[in-house]
Amino acid sequence: MRKGMKFGTALLVLTMTTSMMLSACSKDTSNKPSNSGSDKPAAEGNGGTESNKRDAGNGLQVPIADKKLDVSLWAPSGGNFKGKDFNEKYSFQKMEEVTNIHVNFQHATEASEEAFSLLMSSGKLPDMIYTAMWDKEASKYGSQGALLPLEQLIEEKAPNIKKILDANPDIRGLITSPDGHIYYLPNLMLDTKYLTQMFGQIREDWLEKVGLPAPETTDDWYNVLKAFKEKDPNGNGKADEIPFVTVNLENVMFLFAPAFGVEFGLFVEDGKVKYGPFDPRFKDLVEYLNKLYNEKLLDPNYLVDTTFKTLTEKVTTDRAGAWFGWAGSYMGNFTQLMDGKHPTFKIAPVLPPKGPNGDQRHVSFRWPAGANGIAVSSQTKNADAIIQWLDYQYSEEGIVMNNFGVEGKSYDMVDGQPKFKDAVTHPENGESNTEALLTHTVGGGQWATVEDPRYSQQIRDASGQTDNPQELYGQFNKFDYKMPPVQLLPEENDIVVPIMADVTTYVNESINAFIMGKKPISEYDDFIAQLKKMKFEQALEQYQKGYDRFKGK
């Protein structure tokens, strides 16, 4: 099914216009497994009356229920959360009005693997579960019978989802488990120009003050960061500059690891699944980062200051020189917060650095189908209503609602296009425009819906970013190197999970120790030997099996 899958600028033919969806060819599904859940007893009030229904897109009829129907949904209170309950957001209030379905949200305090595992092992599941880990977990829990197979429900009850999958068979392949079932519905980005996520960002005005161009190589980065440290680019007469700031080690690795031919996690090279820290080239990367840390070019508090709040404070007090982050919440947010408060403050995107051996690629980009999305519990008694509620998320009006909020409250229609109100793009209460938007909606990139590039473009425009920095990185997004969202078989998971639980902890502790000089680089070979003792190679074999199966080998 997945053999020969290709991704790139010509991957998808859909564009996010007002109509959102192009027509798709019909598809023969007569030989697909039948597990629709439609043989379950219909919930009371399910189905509505024909007289009060209207078409919400492609034949989806709303209201979905003729009497108010309560369903439950578990979701972490992550970065897209504002308030104590998603029902405080105007988009979900309007959605309930349209569908006649009330969602009882069950919010975990954090988006952790532990919280998710506790839920899934509890024996009592809500109707729906949202997580950002379905690429790894859907097959496991689906094969155990905890999740409802959705493919037949999609064929029969979800015309908007079906239309997208029929028009984009590669997306169908990305979310289909090895057993042939679809167990979750993902966040989607249908415009390949916007698959880039985070990227390197630097104080352009600081570069001008120290008389250097934007760094192009890892050596350039060292020279620039050293100049930031020594030449007082903030002009306050103090040696208080922090050349490179971060909230975690992963963001540092996103920027520099590819320049040494590796990644911090799993990646693919010539069809072989590899793991960065287990690769001999990773030692050179660690030596480079150790040099930055020893000379205080890398934030010495990166293991302590791990919140976006602490990073924002360093940027807005004119002490941070460079970082790796998002276009909106980082670049746009910082630009907006400093508007009118600093005479020269300007951030510029930086292309991926070229390494000592000429390696250069960008790794922080997504697949068109994200790992975040919503699965349906096999315990639900409202399968038909729930799949229609989920289908609404992918309808034209559902996409607009999830991305822009409610018309008249957070946006107006101008010349047929949704346009944010000034209260969202230019809030006057001290909030960023990203924070203001979260009062109205969950956000197009953080939900089981289609992310609309129009909303992120308007947020960028409001922050003075007329160009889309994400478009700079397309030529460096190399899918052949990116580990796909491989779903392992249960017997493969049984090998991988316990090994990787120990390996991940050991790797994080050791790599930080190497970088901070608490463990000498001369012991790196001992580190790799210990990974072998921990049977890491057995886990790597399982990932290779999953990758080969994904590629149809």
Side-chain angles (χ1 to χ4, degrees):
M1 183 178 199
R2 302 178 170 100
K3 188 173 183 179
M5 289 173 62
K6 298 288 184 183
F7 292 91
T9 57
L11 167 68
L12 302 167
V13 296
L14 296 187
T15 56
M16 301 302 296
T17 60
T18 304
S19 63
M20 285 302 175
M21 310 295 173
L22 297 178
S23 60
C25 298
S26 61
K27 198 176 183 85
D28 179 15
T29 57
S30 58
N31 60 353
K32 290 196 173 184
S34 178
N35 256 308
S36 71
S38 57
D39 56 342
K40 294 178 179 288
E44 182 181 355
N46 210 17
T49 59
E50 294 303 320
S51 60
N52 68 350
K53 286 185 175 293
R54 66 173 176 84
D55 190 334
N58 294 310
L60 176 68
Q61 298 294 300
V62 292
I64 294 168
D66 59 340
K67 295 180 181 178
K68 187 74 72 176
L69 178 65
D70 283 7
V71 298
S72 53
L73 193 158
W74 183 91
S77 54
N80 61 342
F81 185 85
K82 186 175 181 182
K84 63 181 181 180
D85 189 299
F86 276 3
N87 281 318
E88 295 177 21
K89 297 178 186 292
Y90 297 122
S91 61
F92 285 113
Q93 294 173 18
K94 182 65 176 179
M95 204 175 297
E96 178 174 336
E97 177 186 324
V98 170
T99 65
N100 212 19
I101 292 178
H102 174 77
V103 179
N104 293 307
F105 287 101
Q106 302 172 9
H107 290 303
T109 55
E110 58 181 21
S112 67
E113 291 187 26
E114 181 180 6
F116 175 73
S117 296
L118 285 173
L119 169 76
M120 298 305 295
S121 62
S122 67
K124 186 172 182 179
L125 299 177
D127 293 299
M128 293 176 278
I129 306 106
Y130 174 94
T131 184
M133 298 184 290
W134 283 131
D135 60 333
K136 300 179 180 66
E137 303 290 355
S139 178
K140 170 185 173 183
Y141 289 107
S143 64
Q144 291 177 2
L147 305 179
L148 189 68
L150 301 177
E151 61 277 356
Q152 198 62 38
L153 277 168
I154 291 170
E155 293 295 320
E156 298 172 358
K157 304 286 184 179
N160 292 288
I161 299 169
K162 181 180 184 300
K163 195 168 190 177
I164 293 173
L165 296 183
D166 284 352
N168 299 278
D170 288 328
I171 290 178
R172 187 186 291 271
L174 285 169
I175 63 174
T176 299
S177 291
D179 62 7
H181 292 307
I182 295 173
Y183 291 114
Y184 81 104
L185 296 175
N187 176 260
L188 296 173
M189 169 51 78
L190 301 181
D191 191 327
T192 57
K193 294 194 302 292
Y194 300 99
L195 294 177
T196 294
Q197 296 181 302
M198 304 173 81
F199 52 88
Q201 301 170 25
I202 199 165
R203 284 288 297 274
E204 188 173 31
D205 53 330
W206 280 22
L207 286 172
E208 294 173 359
K209 289 178 181 179
V210 301
L212 290 173
E216 297 180 358
T217 67
T218 50
D219 286 342
D220 290 343
W221 267 98
Y222 171 78
N223 293 330
V224 163
L225 296 178
K226 190 173 179 64
F228 283 177
K229 185 68 179 174
E230 298 175 349
K231 295 187 176 182
D232 191 28
N234 66 12
N236 66 358
K238 302 176 183 179
D240 60 350
E241 287 85 356
I242 309 171
F244 194 96
V245 295
T246 186
V247 295
N248 56 48
L249 178 60
E250 185 178 34
N251 288 358
V252 181
M253 293 294 183
F254 275 148
L255 179 62
F256 292 113
F260 291 85
V262 294
E263 295 185 24
F264 194 31
L266 296 168
F267 67 103
V268 180
E269 190 172 41
D270 297 326
K272 297 296 182 183
V273 177
K274 298 185 176 182
Y275 181 63
F278 195 65
D279 191 296
R281 294 170 291 182
F282 205 84
K283 180 180 177 181
D284 297 331
L285 165 66
V286 171
E287 285 187 292
Y288 177 81
L289 296 178
N290 172 250
K291 181 179 180 180
L292 298 186
Y293 185 86
N294 282 341
E295 298 186 28
K296 296 185 178 180
L297 308 184
L298 173 62
D299 191 343
N301 291 324
Y302 81 84
L303 273 183
V304 179
D305 296 344
T306 58
T307 68
F308 185 66
K309 182 178 180 180
T310 59
L311 186 142
T312 300
E313 189 270 336
K314 292 170 185 176
V315 174
T316 56
T317 55
D318 206 21
R319 291 184 295 143
W323 51 85
F324 193 87
W326 301 90
S329 60
Y330 277 66
M331 193 172 184
N333 186 43
F334 298 151
T335 301
Q336 184 183 40
L337 288 173
M338 296 299 281
D339 185 31
K341 299 176 183 178
H342 191 289
T344 64
F345 185 91
K346 188 175 182 181
I347 307 170
V350 191
L351 293 181
K354 188 177 294 185
N357 298 315
D359 295 291
Q360 185 183 26
R361 56 191 174 88
H362 187 71
V363 298
S364 181
F365 62 96
R366 58 171 291 175
W367 296 90
N372 56 323
I374 295 176
V376 180
S377 163
S378 60
Q379 298 176 17
T380 186
K381 296 177 180 169
N382 299 296
D384 285 4
I386 284 172
I387 196 65
Q388 291 174 73
W389 185 85
L390 288 170
D391 192 58
Y392 184 79
Q393 314 304 310
Y394 298 86
S395 68
E396 178 182 342
E397 65 182 65
I399 292 169
V400 173
M401 196 177 296
N402 281 313
N403 283 270
F404 288 90
V406 177
E407 185 176 1
K409 287 186 177 291
S410 54
Y411 77 93
D412 295 310
M413 293 300 292
V414 178
D415 297 327
Q417 301 291 325
K419 185 178 185 298
F420 281 124
K421 288 179 173 291
D422 288 345
V424 173
T425 56
H426 298 86
E428 298 179 350
N429 58 357
E431 291 182 328
S432 69
N433 44 32
T434 300
E435 290 174 317
L437 178 60
L438 294 180
T439 300
H440 296 273
T441 183
V442 71
Q446 301 293 331
W447 196 243
T449 187
V450 177
E451 183 176 353
D452 187 338
R454 294 176 299 180
Y455 102 87
S456 54
Q457 181 63 58
Q458 288 184 40
I459 295 295
R460 285 193 300 271
D461 289 345
S463 303
Q465 299 177 51
T466 54
D467 296 325
N468 177 13
Q470 293 171 305
E471 295 180 4
L472 297 172
Y473 300 90
Q475 62 179 310
F476 302 105
N477 293 345
K478 299 180 180 179
F479 280 92
D480 288 345
Y481 282 84
K482 190 175 183 67
M483 182 66 175
V486 168
Q487 298 186 37
L488 299 180
L489 296 172
E491 58 269 25
E492 295 165 347
N493 256 320
D494 289 343
I495 296 172
V496 166
V497 171
I499 292 176
M500 291 307 296
D502 294 335
V503 164
T504 301
T505 300
Y506 176 66
V507 165
N508 288 337
E509 291 176 350
S510 298
I511 297 303
N512 281 312
F514 283 128
I515 291 172
M516 301 173 76
K518 295 179 180 179
K519 184 180 288 191
I521 302 296
S522 59
E523 294 182 7
Y524 202 86
D525 289 345
D526 295 335
F527 162 73
I528 289 183
Q530 181 60 30
L531 288 178
K532 292 180 179 180
K533 289 181 181 179
M534 298 172 74
K535 300 181 180 180
F536 170 72
E537 288 168 304
Q538 290 186 24
L540 198 60
E541 289 174 5
Q542 310 313 309
Y543 285 121
Q544 186 68 53
K545 290 178 183 177
Y547 175 79
D548 290 343
R549 183 171 56 247
F550 183 91
K551 300 295 287 186
K553 295 182 180 179

